[in-house]
Amino acid sequence: MIGVGAKPKQYSNVLDKPLSRGRQEVSLSAFAFLFSEMVQYNQTQVDNIAELERRLEAAGYAVGARVLELLCHRDKGNRRETRLLGILSFVHSTVWKVLFGKVADSLEKGTEHEDEYMISEKELLVNRFISIPKDMGSFNCGAFVAGIVKGVLDNAGFPAVVTAHFVPMEGQQRPRTTILIKFAEEVLRREARFS
Amino acid sequence: MAPLAPRSGDAVFANVERVNAELFTLTYGAIVRQLLTDLEEVEEVNKQLDQMGYNIGIRLIDEFLAKSNVSRCVDFKETCDVIAKVGFKMFLGVTATVSNWDAEGTSCSIILEDNPLVDFVELPDTCQGLNYCNILSGVIRGALEMVSMKTEITWVRDMLHGDDAYELRLKLLKQVPEEYPYKDDE
């Protein structure tokens, strides 16, 4: 039994709690089980693939918004990026490292459009245990991660359309996942003013 | 061959692939929010979380048995110890304690002080009836059902409701005798 003196401190408000250092871990299977339940539940709520991706993206968005706030407090001394490349490398390095334990495989600028950037990952964590049935065609669970990226960017003041795609790779059995980021016009205009 | 010795939760946890608990916590939070938006009634959300946990439990037990080398438990007491010491550690990286046994040894409490599901969580006034961690009770119920134990699990204490720990009450309802779907000589 817990003695009266040793009773853990009660916090009336979640903001009064000290910010955790973020070193805690859970097993990958625990996350995989939970994620798969989320996908299955959302499948029961929709009648087409686009809608399913939209719902996963919405769930990811909520995660992204919180991750931005958390990391700005913990890792960046309450500052957030205001430049395009700054925020992109924040997503590619800091956010990826905290969430997935590694920096994303690559960050590239689109060759055809000025406003497009791509973050690619050979094996995205959320796609690891997922196989897509043929009749679901282009469905990609990476929509959840795209949502996280969108959540971070939107809330940092960089509105963008973010989508996840499979890109087949030569000599590899599984395609890689590319997160395509298309920034809103205003972002590019502001960026041009800065430089 | 001698049976393999059961492994401690710590040993298993040290050897499995792990992910940042914040990703897990925030993803769970996103699920709960989706359910609240879709179902509107807190009671319905509790039910759905329990159902999702149950679905996880019936799959998770396989991995648990494969990785922990735990064999058949002699009684419900041992079962609960294994859940608290090995199960929670192996999947969530936390240890729980078992206490408050009744005289018959058919019901007990599992107490959690650390709970990775609830970081950054505060229940708004409109959600006071929500058992935020209801997925956990579903997981245990589902997993135990796969090893022939029907249980009833209820939340007794919940730190999100202002208590000093998380307490789950486990009650063994029925031990289902194992029946093989086929006979030996068939």
Side-chain angles (χ1 to χ4, degrees), chain A residues 1-2 7-10 12-15 17 19-31 33-38 40-42 45 55-56 58-60 62-63 66-67 70-71 74 97-101 125 128-129 144 148, chain B residues 13 16-28 30-31 33-35 38-39 48 51-53 55-56 59-61 63 67 90-94 99-100 111 113-114 116-122 135 157 159 162-165:
Chain A
M1 289 302 291
I2 304 162
K7 200 172 163 179
K9 189 167 169 356
Q10 292 294 299
S12 55
N13 187 318
V14 72
L15 296 176
K17 275 193 202 172
L19 197 58
S20 77
R21 308 262 301 277
R23 300 275 156 74
Q24 256 199 327
E25 291 181 312
V26 299
S27 84
L28 173 62
S29 350
F31 175 76
F33 279 128
L34 187 69
F35 186 73
S36 117
E37 272 311 308
M38 177 164 86
Q40 288 178 59
Y41 164 76
N42 277 304
Q45 302 290 304
R55 286 187 60 108
L56 286 181
V63 174
R66 286 161 179 80
V67 165
L70 176 67
L71 295 186
R74 190 166 57 201
K97 192 136 198 209
V98 168
L99 293 184
F100 307 122
L125 188 76
R128 223 158 115 189
F129 304 106
F144 179 69
I148 296 180
Chain B
F13 189 65
V16 294
E17 268 191 87
R18 298 181 296 273
V19 293
N20 182 306
E22 283 164 352
L23 174 67
F24 179 74
T25 307
L26 291 172
T27 304
Y28 184 65
I31 294 176
R33 264 196 314 280
Q34 272 193 327
L35 295 180
D38 291 347
L39 305 171
Q48 181 63 35
Q51 180 61 44
M52 289 167 119
N55 299 344
I56 293 176
R59 296 167 63 197
L60 169 144
I61 186 75
E63 178 170 341
K67 290 198 176 152
M90 179 171 156
F91 290 101
L92 298 181
V94 296
S99 65
N100 301 340
I111 295 167
E113 278 167 41
D114 255 343
L117 286 177
V118 299
D119 266 346
F120 319 122
V121 177
E122 192 172 57
I135 200 160
R157 283 188 287 165
M159 279 163 100
D163 299 320
D164 52 2

Side-chain angles (χ1 to χ4, degrees), chain B residues 20-88:
Chain B
N20 182 306
E22 283 164 352
L23 174 67
F24 179 74
T25 307
L26 291 172
T27 304
Y28 184 65
I31 294 176
V32 175
R33 264 196 314 280
Q34 272 193 327
L35 295 180
L36 283 167
T37 322
D38 291 347
L39 305 171
E40 290 167 9
E41 294 290 327
V42 167
E43 222 11 77
E44 289 300 310
V45 177
N46 284 340
K47 260 192 228 155
Q48 181 63 35
L49 285 174
D50 181 76
Q51 180 61 44
M52 289 167 119
Y54 179 82
N55 299 344
I56 293 176
I58 59 182
R59 296 167 63 197
L60 169 144
I61 186 75
D62 285 337
E63 178 170 341
F64 175 78
L65 293 174
K67 290 198 176 152
S68 66
N69 300 335
V70 166
S71 54
R72 185 175 297 275
C73 293
V74 293
D75 55 11
F76 191 55
K77 271 196 166 147
E78 191 184 343
T79 309
C80 292
D81 270 339
V82 167
I83 294 174
K85 307 251 152 51
V86 188
F88 271 99

